[in-house]
């Protein structure tokens, strides 16, 4: 039997990542196109359909090679209708019929899922969580996102707001304001933005010294990466910030695990590139706050798929549909 | 077609609750027998088989009326083997083959589930959560237990420790010791035992006065019910304790909901009999800490099945098996 491919699409505000993926969750070809937000976003689905046809032509493959298209989209999805809601930065008006439009233009079966959920599905299918069916994925980027998989299925919740791990409250009283309107959310601490915010507070002290303070003095700013790099060489201020991030992340993840006891919690996103220096401190705090049998059975690991997780997880949606 | 019945069994340390339940989750007949812990618990399954036969005889019904037996058991279950682990207070040695023993003796298909999960399934099938498939049930009793249902299925987690909501950490530093070995668990605050503990602290102050202090003086102790009764008439100390319980419960449930966005969170167990005075204050705190769309879509409610939830949920296990 000839191998069939799935199109995995990760729709972002500036770039659309596309990939042809086989039935084992492996990327065979991947490419990107810019996200065209003009014309109320009407060009987006048209551009996706066109670029897929062009890529097939280039590879000298027939359309029949493709069995479906899965897409991760940055916003709440109505799963009954495939309508995407309130995605202001893609130019779409409210309630854009994303699935229908893509199905018409690509002539393929289409499945849509929130992008954080796709990242979790990707890591489950062919990443850090390969083979598991109970996994929580936390994406530490500009914000903090999350995807929850239980019994092999994405947990979406009643209004699609499951996995809002970034908006778990970490600081009950006096926390920093969050974009969501609350205060003290995990995102205000453990996102790249949150880490920089914590650093700015520390660095605003008159007596701030050390390597991180030096970078701040030289560049007029610091990045989350600077914080981790300085913590790696035992800079005192940077270590203090790392400790605070790891405390709140470990605490929140332990409480999630006390509720769900997943086999694995995967840390992904740009901030997770800090690697073991972050992971190990998060694990320490996790151990302290996890129920005994949860501590013994739920593991923490770094994501392995990087930026490909979303497209791979989106493709899984089609694989899962075909299996039913 | 003649109506078929399921046997629902709720196995407790002192009493075994049994019920004949129809396919709509309605109890038709219910009764109890004492739990016989002697002889390493060997009599328990035998007594269950015997009492079912006796009840059928009494009702002039044939054994063929029964399609299966579901049981909620107070301990971790190995779901692949139906073996129950470490249930010290039932007299069983480790790894008692509960499912096999019951199947042999009753000649019925048997399904076993943790009792907190059964309570959640009961409330989903025919209680406060009727019709939903995303529900979290929190049982506020001597301890705090929990059951998580997502996409219509119990979330057990990798080692069966999902739903350990009582061991979510509420006080990160300096919390009271919990039976589980950690400190600051929700159970140390929101269980009947926890509420009494908080009351004892308040009442140990030399200046303690008011109605709750009076009861303490008269009886040498107070109960969780005393605390709620006094809070209902605006006793200052009792209100302070209620506020603390509701804060930590609302905070923990909001963070669970930020992760799972269930349609409903059900409060059950003896403490939940406090009713609206507890529920409304928990809701206030929940609203403060829940992500906007979670706050708007996840509801909180009191359990409606009382002590029957476990047996009804256990029966659901068989109904669910038959549906497959």
């Amino acid at each position: 039997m000839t191998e069939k491919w799935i199109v995995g699409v990760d729709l972002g505000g500036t770039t659309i990542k596309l990939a042809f993926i086989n039935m084992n969750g492996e990327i065979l070809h991947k490419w990107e196109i810019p996200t065209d937000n003009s014309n109320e976003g009407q060009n987006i689905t048209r551009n996706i359909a066109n670029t897929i046809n062009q890529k097939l032509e280039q590879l000298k493959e027939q359309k029949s090679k493709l069995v479906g298209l899965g897409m991760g989209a940055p916003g709440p999805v109505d799963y009954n209708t495939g309508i995407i809601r309130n995605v202001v930065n893609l130019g779409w008006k409210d309630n854009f019929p994303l699935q229908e439009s893509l199905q018409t233009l690509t002539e393929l079966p289409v499945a849509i899922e929130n992008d954080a959920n796709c990242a979790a599905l990707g890591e489950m299918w062919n990443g850090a969580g390969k083979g598991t069916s109970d996994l929580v994925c936390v994406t530490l980027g500009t914000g903090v996102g999350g995807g929850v998989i239980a019994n092999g299925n994405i947990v979406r919740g009643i209004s699609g707001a499951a996995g809002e791990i970034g908006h778990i409250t970490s600081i009950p009283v006096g926390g920093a304001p969050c974009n969501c309107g609350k205060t003290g959310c995990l995102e205000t601490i453990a996102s790249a933005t949150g880490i920089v915010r914590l650093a700015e507070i520390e660095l605003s002290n008159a007596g701030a010294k050390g390597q991180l303070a030096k970078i701040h003095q030289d560049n007029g700013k610091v990045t989350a990466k600077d914080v981790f790099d300085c913590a790696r060489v035992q800079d005192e201020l940077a270590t203090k910030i790392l400790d605070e991030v790891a405390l709140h992340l470990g605490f929140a993840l332990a409480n999630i695990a006390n509720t769900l006891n997943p086999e694995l919690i995967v840390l992904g996103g740009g901030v997770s590139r800090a690697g073991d220096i972050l992971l190990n401190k998060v694990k320490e705090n996790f151990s302290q706050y996890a129920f005994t049998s949860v501590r013994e059975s739920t593991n923490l690991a770094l994501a392995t798929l990087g930026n490909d997780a979303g497209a791979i997880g989106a493709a899984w949606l089609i694989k899962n549909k075909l299996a039913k």
Side-chain angles (χ1 to χ4, degrees), chain A:
Chain A
M1 194 187 128
T2 327
E3 188 185 59
K4 294 284 186 178
W5 294 348
I6 304 168
V7 191
V9 184
D10 187 358
L11 175 62
T14 52
T15 312
I16 302 170
K17 297 191 184 72
L18 298 104
F20 291 151
I21 293 166
N22 69 15
M23 292 298 169
N24 299 320
E26 294 155 350
I27 289 184
L28 304 170
H29 304 278
K30 66 176 178 178
W31 73 104
E32 295 183 2
I33 60 171
T35 307
D36 178 357
N37 302 337
S38 68
N39 193 18
E40 290 183 351
Q42 304 259 7
N43 298 339
I44 291 178
T45 49
R46 196 173 308 275
N47 291 349
I48 289 172
N50 290 341
T51 189
I52 290 170
N53 289 336
Q54 285 159 14
K55 182 60 73 172
L56 283 172
E57 212 168 295
Q58 187 188 322
L59 295 168
K60 300 191 175 23
E61 293 285 355
Q62 299 297 311
K63 188 71 174 276
S64 60
K65 186 86 179 170
L66 307 178
V67 292
L69 181 152
M71 175 186 268
V77 176
D78 181 325
Y79 296 100
N80 294 320
T81 59
I83 285 175
I84 190 161
R85 295 179 290 209
N86 317 317
V87 185
V88 178
N89 64 346
L90 293 177
W92 286 326
K93 288 187 169 174
D94 280 2
N95 301 327
F96 182 81
L98 181 57
Q99 184 168 342
E100 194 187 308
S101 171
L102 275 173
Q103 266 170 195
T104 306
L105 294 167
T106 64
E107 298 173 302
L108 288 170
V110 170
I112 312 282
E113 183 60 78
N114 170 273
D115 54 4
N117 290 345
C118 284
L121 290 169
E123 292 291 341
M124 174 182 80
W125 192 16
N126 206 19
K130 196 169 175 173
T132 185
S133 50
D134 291 276
L135 173 146
V136 173
C137 187
V138 185
T139 306
L140 307 166
T142 313
V144 172
V148 176
I149 296 170
N151 301 317
N153 288 306
I154 274 287
V155 177
R156 291 160 170 169
I158 189 66
S159 77
E164 287 292 358
I165 291 170
H167 302 289
I168 282 181
T169 306
S170 294
I171 312 276
V173 179
C178 183
N179 290 330
C180 78
K182 294 199 298 145
T183 60
C185 293
L186 181 60
E187 180 164 301
T188 67
I189 299 165
S191 65
T193 325
I195 293 167
V196 169
R197 186 187 65 78
L198 293 176
E200 296 286 356
I201 292 170
E202 292 295 333
L203 293 163
S204 69
N205 291 333
K209 57 177 200 273
Q211 194 158 339
L212 192 66
K214 177 79 170 51
I215 294 172
H216 190 248
Q217 216 168 7
D218 293 352
N219 302 352
K221 61 168 190 173
V222 293
T223 64
K225 185 174 181 300
D226 292 332
V227 173
F228 292 116
D229 287 345
C230 291
R232 223 169 259 121
V233 294
Q234 273 87 45
D235 178 76
E236 200 177 317
L237 269 188
T239 304
K240 187 177 171 192
I241 297 159
L242 170 60
D243 286 347
E244 189 167 351
V245 171
L247 166 67
H248 289 290
L249 206 44
F251 184 79
L253 297 182
N255 282 343
I256 290 174
N258 291 334
T259 307
L260 294 172
N261 185 210
E263 184 168 0
L264 191 69
I265 298 178
V266 177
L267 303 185
V271 171
S272 74
R273 291 201 198 105
D276 284 342
I277 195 172
L278 176 66
L279 180 65
N280 291 337
K281 289 214 175 187
V282 172
K283 279 184 177 176
E284 275 173 35
N285 288 288
F286 178 87
S287 292
Q288 186 177 347
Y289 297 116
F291 183 62
T292 312
S293 63
V294 170
R295 180 168 58 232
E296 289 166 357
S297 58
T298 294
N299 290 312
L300 274 70
L302 298 169
T304 62
L305 297 180
N307 291 333
D308 295 336
I312 293 175
W316 180 92
L317 301 169
I318 296 295
K319 192 225 167 205
N320 187 47
K321 266 194 179 180
L322 295 175
K324 279 179 178 171

